[in-house]
Amino acid sequence: MSMSFTVMQQTLVMFLLMAAGYLLYRGGKITIEGSKSISSTLLYLVIPCVIVNTFLTEATQEKITILLLSAAVSALIILLAAILSRVLFPHHPIDDFAAAFSNAGFIGIPLVQSVLGNDSVFYISTFIVLINLFQWIYGAPMMRGAKMEFQPRKLLINPIVISMIIGLVLFFSQIPVPGVICTCLDSIQNLNAPLAMLVLGVYLAQTDFRSVFMTGRLYKMASVRLLLIPAATLLVLSLLPEKWNSLRMALLIAASAPSGANVAVYAQVNGGDYAYAVKCVALTTLLSIITLPLVIGAASMLWGM
């Protein structure tokens, strides 16, 4: 089975899960407050458990090399995406944010798991941490027209950062983890895709689809997020040797995901156009059902995977 076909199947599964969230919200079975509670569960429990679980592996020299290489390349990819977005959307912070930051956690993790296996989340763990850091340091101030800020205390209480630190400690110390905890982590990890898609379905249900598809400005942003940035990422990753194919593919999937839901969160918190931000998430999420298989298919052909 080709990799692009696998991605197409998984994106279809994710679409059906989003449809379930959409219908539950429309039917009054999930409220906005309920979806926020699910989002909090994902942010503070599920994704941290996924990250910690990926580090419960033997600390071989190869994996240490992969970890360091992933961190360096992830930083370069995220920085490149931020630069391209700022150049193309200098006066539109929501478009800038939506184009720059992918939904690497909610959509990237499930896709990487389905295409490359659960252990491959290890490849994008640093990407997820770094994209969260960039959003806090660069994205949030940009939304309110302020300068970049670095507040270590806030970063250290970020659940993604905390889980990464715990994972690194367990990885390098090789402290034995009881089997019952590993089983618990595995069970929680399996909640990631269904819960994340349900939440995105609720986002979609709050959107006027006619206005989404009739807003021309959204298509420019979506083209940058789903086509231009993945293409630039593909070129950067092609510079790596063929032996790092799995790492390249995992990072490409994470970088090619649609706009992260945080664009709506940060817009709402900072007094931005929340309704427009939700449309950014909605349009890119829907279009990614088409673009993700195309991007992954092109990469698998180019890299011989």
Short mmCIF file of all heavy atoms in Angstrom, two decimals, residues 237-292:
data_model
loop_
_atom_site.label_atom_id
_atom_site.label_comp_id
_atom_site.label_asym_id
_atom_site.label_seq_id
_atom_site.Cartn_x
_atom_site.Cartn_y
_atom_site.Cartn_z
N LEU A 237 14.14 19.38 3.80
CA LEU A 237 14.33 18.00 4.25
C LEU A 237 15.04 17.14 3.22
O LEU A 237 15.69 16.15 3.57
CB LEU A 237 12.96 17.39 4.60
CG LEU A 237 12.26 17.98 5.82
CD1 LEU A 237 10.85 17.42 5.96
CD2 LEU A 237 13.06 17.71 7.10
N SER A 238 14.94 17.51 1.96
CA SER A 238 15.61 16.75 0.90
C SER A 238 17.12 16.87 0.99
O SER A 238 17.85 16.08 0.36
CB SER A 238 15.12 17.22 -0.48
OG SER A 238 13.76 16.92 -0.66
N LEU A 239 17.61 17.84 1.77
CA LEU A 239 19.04 17.98 1.95
C LEU A 239 19.61 16.92 2.90
O LEU A 239 20.83 16.69 2.93
CB LEU A 239 19.37 19.38 2.51
CG LEU A 239 18.97 20.57 1.63
CD1 LEU A 239 19.24 21.89 2.34
CD2 LEU A 239 19.70 20.52 0.29
N LEU A 240 18.73 16.28 3.68
CA LEU A 240 19.18 15.23 4.60
C LEU A 240 19.44 13.94 3.83
O LEU A 240 18.80 13.67 2.81
CB LEU A 240 18.12 14.96 5.66
CG LEU A 240 17.84 16.09 6.66
CD1 LEU A 240 16.71 15.68 7.61
CD2 LEU A 240 19.09 16.44 7.46
N PRO A 241 20.36 13.11 4.30
CA PRO A 241 20.65 11.83 3.63
C PRO A 241 19.44 10.90 3.63
O PRO A 241 18.55 11.01 4.47
CB PRO A 241 21.78 11.24 4.49
CG PRO A 241 22.38 12.39 5.22
CD PRO A 241 21.25 13.35 5.45
N GLU A 242 19.44 9.98 2.70
CA GLU A 242 18.32 9.05 2.53
C GLU A 242 18.09 8.18 3.77
O GLU A 242 16.96 7.76 4.03
CB GLU A 242 18.61 8.15 1.32
CG GLU A 242 17.47 7.22 0.95
CD GLU A 242 17.77 6.39 -0.28
OE1 GLU A 242 18.48 6.89 -1.18
OE2 GLU A 242 17.30 5.24 -0.34
N LYS A 243 19.12 7.93 4.56
CA LYS A 243 18.97 7.07 5.74
C LYS A 243 18.03 7.68 6.78
O LYS A 243 17.55 6.99 7.68
CB LYS A 243 20.33 6.77 6.36
CG LYS A 243 21.01 7.97 7.01
CD LYS A 243 22.30 7.54 7.69
CE LYS A 243 22.99 8.70 8.40
NZ LYS A 243 24.18 8.25 9.13
N TRP A 244 17.75 9.00 6.66
CA TRP A 244 16.85 9.66 7.60
C TRP A 244 15.45 9.82 7.01
O TRP A 244 14.71 10.73 7.36
CB TRP A 244 17.41 11.04 7.98
CG TRP A 244 18.77 11.03 8.59
CD1 TRP A 244 19.89 11.62 8.09
CD2 TRP A 244 19.16 10.39 9.81
NE1 TRP A 244 20.96 11.40 8.93
CE2 TRP A 244 20.53 10.65 9.99
CE3 TRP A 244 18.48 9.64 10.77
CZ2 TRP A 244 21.25 10.17 11.09
CZ3 TRP A 244 19.17 9.15 11.86
CH2 TRP A 244 20.54 9.42 12.01
N ASN A 245 15.07 8.91 6.10
CA ASN A 245 13.78 9.03 5.42
C ASN A 245 12.59 9.09 6.39
O ASN A 245 11.66 9.88 6.20
CB ASN A 245 13.58 7.87 4.45
CG ASN A 245 14.06 8.21 3.04
OD1 ASN A 245 14.48 9.35 2.79
ND2 ASN A 245 14.01 7.27 2.13
N SER A 246 12.59 8.24 7.40
CA SER A 246 11.47 8.23 8.34
C SER A 246 11.38 9.55 9.10
O SER A 246 10.29 10.08 9.32
CB SER A 246 11.60 7.06 9.32
OG SER A 246 11.47 5.82 8.65
N LEU A 247 12.53 10.07 9.50
CA LEU A 247 12.57 11.36 10.17
C LEU A 247 12.07 12.46 9.24
O LEU A 247 11.26 13.32 9.64
CB LEU A 247 13.99 11.68 10.64
CG LEU A 247 14.24 13.09 11.19
CD1 LEU A 247 13.43 13.32 12.45
CD2 LEU A 247 15.73 13.31 11.46
N ARG A 248 12.52 12.43 8.00
CA ARG A 248 12.09 13.44 7.03
C ARG A 248 10.58 13.40 6.84
O ARG A 248 9.91 14.44 6.83
CB ARG A 248 12.79 13.19 5.67
CG ARG A 248 14.28 13.42 5.71
CD ARG A 248 14.86 13.62 4.31
NE ARG A 248 14.85 12.42 3.48
CZ ARG A 248 15.47 12.32 2.31
NH1 ARG A 248 16.14 13.36 1.84
NH2 ARG A 248 15.42 11.21 1.61
N MET A 249 10.02 12.21 6.70
CA MET A 249 8.59 12.09 6.45
C MET A 249 7.78 12.54 7.66
O MET A 249 6.75 13.22 7.52
CB MET A 249 8.23 10.65 6.09
CG MET A 249 6.79 10.47 5.66
SD MET A 249 6.34 11.47 4.20
CE MET A 249 7.20 10.58 2.89
N ALA A 250 8.23 12.18 8.85
CA ALA A 250 7.51 12.57 10.07
C ALA A 250 7.47 14.09 10.20
O ALA A 250 6.42 14.68 10.50
CB ALA A 250 8.16 11.94 11.29
N LEU A 251 8.61 14.75 9.97
CA LEU A 251 8.67 16.21 10.08
C LEU A 251 7.85 16.88 8.98
O LEU A 251 7.21 17.91 9.22
CB LEU A 251 10.12 16.68 10.02
CG LEU A 251 10.98 16.35 11.25
CD1 LEU A 251 12.42 16.78 11.02
CD2 LEU A 251 10.42 17.03 12.50
N LEU A 252 7.85 16.29 7.79
CA LEU A 252 7.06 16.86 6.70
C LEU A 252 5.56 16.80 7.02
O LEU A 252 4.82 17.76 6.77
CB LEU A 252 7.34 16.11 5.39
CG LEU A 252 6.56 16.61 4.16
CD1 LEU A 252 6.93 18.06 3.84
CD2 LEU A 252 6.81 15.71 2.96
N ILE A 253 5.12 15.68 7.58
CA ILE A 253 3.71 15.55 7.95
C ILE A 253 3.34 16.60 8.99
O ILE A 253 2.31 17.28 8.87
CB ILE A 253 3.42 14.13 8.49
CG1 ILE A 253 3.52 13.10 7.36
CG2 ILE A 253 2.04 14.07 9.14
CD1 ILE A 253 3.44 11.66 7.82
N ALA A 254 4.19 16.75 10.01
CA ALA A 254 3.91 17.73 11.07
C ALA A 254 3.87 19.16 10.52
O ALA A 254 3.03 19.96 10.91
CB ALA A 254 4.97 17.63 12.16
N ALA A 255 4.78 19.46 9.59
CA ALA A 255 4.87 20.81 9.04
C ALA A 255 3.78 21.09 8.00
O ALA A 255 3.49 22.26 7.72
CB ALA A 255 6.24 21.02 8.40
N SER A 256 3.16 20.04 7.44
CA SER A 256 2.16 20.21 6.39
C SER A 256 0.74 20.16 6.90
O SER A 256 -0.21 20.28 6.11
CB SER A 256 2.34 19.12 5.32
OG SER A 256 3.66 19.14 4.80
N ALA A 257 0.57 19.98 8.20
CA ALA A 257 -0.77 19.92 8.79
C ALA A 257 -1.46 21.27 8.66
O ALA A 257 -0.82 22.30 8.47
CB ALA A 257 -0.67 19.51 10.26
N PRO A 258 -2.79 21.30 8.75
CA PRO A 258 -3.52 22.57 8.65
C PRO A 258 -3.25 23.50 9.82
O PRO A 258 -2.50 23.14 10.75
CB PRO A 258 -4.99 22.13 8.63
CG PRO A 258 -4.98 20.79 9.30
CD PRO A 258 -3.69 20.15 8.91
N SER A 259 -3.82 24.67 9.79
CA SER A 259 -3.60 25.66 10.84
C SER A 259 -4.00 25.12 12.21
O SER A 259 -5.04 24.47 12.35
CB SER A 259 -4.42 26.93 10.56
OG SER A 259 -4.08 27.48 9.32
N GLY A 260 -3.17 25.41 13.21
CA GLY A 260 -3.46 24.95 14.55
C GLY A 260 -4.63 25.70 15.16
O GLY A 260 -4.86 26.88 14.87
N ALA A 261 -5.38 25.00 16.00
CA ALA A 261 -6.54 25.61 16.65
C ALA A 261 -6.15 26.77 17.55
O ALA A 261 -6.99 27.62 17.89
CB ALA A 261 -7.30 24.55 17.46
N ASN A 262 -4.87 26.85 17.92
CA ASN A 262 -4.42 27.94 18.80
C ASN A 262 -4.59 29.32 18.17
O ASN A 262 -4.63 30.32 18.88
CB ASN A 262 -2.96 27.74 19.19
CG ASN A 262 -2.82 26.89 20.44
OD1 ASN A 262 -3.80 26.60 21.12
ND2 ASN A 262 -1.61 26.49 20.76
N VAL A 263 -4.69 29.39 16.84
CA VAL A 263 -4.90 30.69 16.22
C VAL A 263 -6.21 31.29 16.70
O VAL A 263 -6.32 32.51 16.93
CB VAL A 263 -4.87 30.59 14.67
CG1 VAL A 263 -6.02 29.74 14.14
CG2 VAL A 263 -4.93 31.98 14.04
N ALA A 264 -7.23 30.45 16.87
CA ALA A 264 -8.52 30.93 17.38
C ALA A 264 -8.42 31.29 18.86
O ALA A 264 -8.98 32.29 19.32
CB ALA A 264 -9.60 29.88 17.16
N VAL A 265 -7.68 30.46 19.60
CA VAL A 265 -7.51 30.71 21.04
C VAL A 265 -6.81 32.04 21.28
O VAL A 265 -7.27 32.88 22.06
CB VAL A 265 -6.73 29.56 21.70
CG1 VAL A 265 -6.45 29.88 23.17
CG2 VAL A 265 -7.49 28.25 21.58
N TYR A 266 -5.68 32.25 20.59
CA TYR A 266 -4.90 33.48 20.78
C TYR A 266 -5.66 34.70 20.27
O TYR A 266 -5.55 35.80 20.83
CB TYR A 266 -3.54 33.36 20.10
CG TYR A 266 -2.54 32.53 20.88
CD1 TYR A 266 -2.07 31.32 20.39
CD2 TYR A 266 -2.06 32.98 22.11
CE1 TYR A 266 -1.14 30.56 21.10
CE2 TYR A 266 -1.14 32.23 22.83
CZ TYR A 266 -0.69 31.02 22.32
OH TYR A 266 0.22 30.29 23.04
N ALA A 267 -6.42 34.54 19.18
CA ALA A 267 -7.21 35.66 18.66
C ALA A 267 -8.26 36.08 19.68
O ALA A 267 -8.47 37.27 19.92
CB ALA A 267 -7.88 35.27 17.34
N GLN A 268 -8.91 35.09 20.29
CA GLN A 268 -9.95 35.38 21.28
C GLN A 268 -9.36 36.05 22.52
O GLN A 268 -9.90 37.05 23.02
CB GLN A 268 -10.66 34.09 21.67
CG GLN A 268 -11.91 34.29 22.53
CD GLN A 268 -12.65 32.98 22.74
OE1 GLN A 268 -12.04 31.93 22.89
NE2 GLN A 268 -13.97 33.05 22.75
N VAL A 269 -8.24 35.54 23.00
CA VAL A 269 -7.62 36.07 24.22
C VAL A 269 -7.09 37.49 24.00
O VAL A 269 -7.17 38.34 24.90
CB VAL A 269 -6.47 35.15 24.68
CG1 VAL A 269 -5.64 35.81 25.78
CG2 VAL A 269 -7.03 33.82 25.17
N ASN A 270 -6.59 37.75 22.79
CA ASN A 270 -5.95 39.04 22.52
C ASN A 270 -6.86 40.03 21.80
O ASN A 270 -6.39 41.02 21.25
CB ASN A 270 -4.67 38.82 21.71
CG ASN A 270 -3.60 38.09 22.50
OD1 ASN A 270 -3.02 38.64 23.43
ND2 ASN A 270 -3.35 36.83 22.16
N GLY A 271 -8.16 39.76 21.79
CA GLY A 271 -9.11 40.71 21.21
C GLY A 271 -9.10 40.76 19.70
O GLY A 271 -9.51 41.76 19.10
N GLY A 272 -8.65 39.68 19.05
CA GLY A 272 -8.64 39.64 17.60
C GLY A 272 -9.98 39.16 17.05
O GLY A 272 -10.96 38.98 17.78
N ASP A 273 -10.02 38.96 15.75
CA ASP A 273 -11.24 38.52 15.07
C ASP A 273 -11.38 37.00 15.23
O ASP A 273 -10.91 36.22 14.39
CB ASP A 273 -11.18 38.91 13.59
CG ASP A 273 -12.50 38.68 12.87
OD1 ASP A 273 -13.35 37.95 13.41
OD2 ASP A 273 -12.68 39.23 11.77
N TYR A 274 -12.02 36.59 16.31
CA TYR A 274 -12.14 35.16 16.63
C TYR A 274 -12.87 34.40 15.53
O TYR A 274 -12.45 33.31 15.13
CB TYR A 274 -12.88 35.00 17.96
CG TYR A 274 -13.22 33.57 18.32
CD1 TYR A 274 -12.24 32.68 18.75
CD2 TYR A 274 -14.53 33.09 18.20
CE1 TYR A 274 -12.55 31.37 19.08
CE2 TYR A 274 -14.86 31.78 18.53
CZ TYR A 274 -13.86 30.93 18.97
OH TYR A 274 -14.17 29.64 19.29
N ALA A 275 -13.95 34.98 15.00
CA ALA A 275 -14.73 34.31 13.96
C ALA A 275 -13.88 34.03 12.72
O ALA A 275 -13.95 32.95 12.12
CB ALA A 275 -15.94 35.15 13.59
N TYR A 276 -13.06 35.01 12.33
CA TYR A 276 -12.19 34.82 11.17
C TYR A 276 -11.13 33.75 11.45
O TYR A 276 -10.81 32.94 10.58
CB TYR A 276 -11.51 36.14 10.80
CG TYR A 276 -10.59 36.04 9.61
CD1 TYR A 276 -11.11 35.98 8.32
CD2 TYR A 276 -9.21 35.95 9.77
CE1 TYR A 276 -10.28 35.85 7.21
CE2 TYR A 276 -8.37 35.84 8.68
CZ TYR A 276 -8.91 35.79 7.40
OH TYR A 276 -8.08 35.66 6.31
N ALA A 277 -10.60 33.74 12.68
CA ALA A 277 -9.59 32.76 13.05
C ALA A 277 -10.16 31.34 12.98
O ALA A 277 -9.48 30.41 12.52
CB ALA A 277 -9.07 33.05 14.46
N VAL A 278 -11.40 31.17 13.41
CA VAL A 278 -12.06 29.86 13.32
C VAL A 278 -12.21 29.44 11.86
O VAL A 278 -12.03 28.27 11.50
CB VAL A 278 -13.43 29.88 14.03
CG1 VAL A 278 -14.21 28.60 13.73
CG2 VAL A 278 -13.25 30.05 15.53
N LYS A 279 -12.50 30.41 10.99
CA LYS A 279 -12.61 30.12 9.56
C LYS A 279 -11.26 29.64 9.00
O LYS A 279 -11.22 28.77 8.12
CB LYS A 279 -13.09 31.35 8.80
CG LYS A 279 -14.53 31.74 9.08
CD LYS A 279 -14.91 33.02 8.35
CE LYS A 279 -16.32 33.48 8.70
NZ LYS A 279 -16.68 34.73 8.02
N CYS A 280 -10.17 30.22 9.48
CA CYS A 280 -8.83 29.78 9.05
C CYS A 280 -8.62 28.30 9.38
O CYS A 280 -8.14 27.53 8.55
CB CYS A 280 -7.75 30.61 9.75
SG CYS A 280 -7.68 32.34 9.24
N VAL A 281 -8.99 27.93 10.60
CA VAL A 281 -8.85 26.54 11.03
C VAL A 281 -9.77 25.65 10.20
O VAL A 281 -9.36 24.58 9.72
CB VAL A 281 -9.18 26.39 12.53
CG1 VAL A 281 -9.10 24.92 12.96
CG2 VAL A 281 -8.25 27.24 13.38
N ALA A 282 -11.00 26.09 10.00
CA ALA A 282 -11.99 25.28 9.28
C ALA A 282 -11.56 25.03 7.84
O ALA A 282 -11.56 23.88 7.38
CB ALA A 282 -13.35 25.98 9.31
N LEU A 283 -11.19 26.09 7.12
CA LEU A 283 -10.86 25.93 5.71
C LEU A 283 -9.61 25.08 5.51
O LEU A 283 -9.60 24.17 4.69
CB LEU A 283 -10.67 27.30 5.04
CG LEU A 283 -10.40 27.23 3.52
CD1 LEU A 283 -11.60 26.64 2.79
CD2 LEU A 283 -10.07 28.61 2.96
N THR A 284 -8.56 25.38 6.27
CA THR A 284 -7.32 24.60 6.09
C THR A 284 -7.51 23.15 6.51
O THR A 284 -6.92 22.24 5.89
CB THR A 284 -6.16 25.22 6.89
OG1 THR A 284 -6.52 25.32 8.28
CG2 THR A 284 -5.79 26.60 6.35
N THR A 285 -8.33 22.90 7.52
CA THR A 285 -8.58 21.52 7.94
C THR A 285 -9.31 20.75 6.86
O THR A 285 -8.96 19.61 6.53
CB THR A 285 -9.40 21.49 9.25
OG1 THR A 285 -8.66 22.15 10.29
CG2 THR A 285 -9.66 20.05 9.69
N LEU A 286 -10.32 21.36 6.26
CA LEU A 286 -11.07 20.70 5.19
C LEU A 286 -10.20 20.48 3.95
O LEU A 286 -10.21 19.39 3.36
CB LEU A 286 -12.30 21.53 4.83
CG LEU A 286 -13.41 21.58 5.89
CD1 LEU A 286 -14.48 22.60 5.50
CD2 LEU A 286 -14.03 20.21 6.09
N LEU A 287 -9.45 21.50 3.56
CA LEU A 287 -8.61 21.38 2.35
C LEU A 287 -7.45 20.41 2.55
O LEU A 287 -6.95 19.82 1.58
CB LEU A 287 -8.09 22.75 1.93
CG LEU A 287 -9.13 23.75 1.42
CD1 LEU A 287 -8.46 25.07 1.03
CD2 LEU A 287 -9.92 23.19 0.25
N SER A 288 -7.01 20.23 3.80
CA SER A 288 -5.88 19.33 4.07
C SER A 288 -6.22 17.88 3.74
O SER A 288 -5.32 17.06 3.54
CB SER A 288 -5.44 19.45 5.53
OG SER A 288 -6.41 18.89 6.41
N ILE A 289 -7.52 17.57 3.68
CA ILE A 289 -7.93 16.22 3.29
C ILE A 289 -7.44 15.92 1.88
O ILE A 289 -7.16 14.77 1.53
CB ILE A 289 -9.46 16.09 3.39
CG1 ILE A 289 -9.92 16.27 4.84
CG2 ILE A 289 -9.94 14.74 2.86
CD1 ILE A 289 -11.42 16.41 5.00
N ILE A 290 -7.29 16.97 1.07
CA ILE A 290 -6.79 16.83 -0.30
C ILE A 290 -5.28 17.05 -0.36
O ILE A 290 -4.55 16.28 -0.99
CB ILE A 290 -7.49 17.83 -1.24
CG1 ILE A 290 -9.00 17.58 -1.25
CG2 ILE A 290 -6.92 17.74 -2.66
CD1 ILE A 290 -9.80 18.65 -1.98
N THR A 291 -4.81 18.10 0.32
CA THR A 291 -3.40 18.50 0.16
C THR A 291 -2.42 17.56 0.86
O THR A 291 -1.33 17.31 0.33
CB THR A 291 -3.18 19.93 0.68
OG1 THR A 291 -3.53 20.00 2.08
CG2 THR A 291 -4.03 20.92 -0.10
N LEU A 292 -2.78 17.04 2.04
CA LEU A 292 -1.84 16.18 2.75
C LEU A 292 -1.47 14.92 1.95
O LEU A 292 -0.26 14.62 1.83
CB LEU A 292 -2.41 15.80 4.12
CG LEU A 292 -2.13 16.79 5.26
CD1 LEU A 292 -2.96 16.46 6.49
CD2 LEU A 292 -0.65 16.80 5.61
#
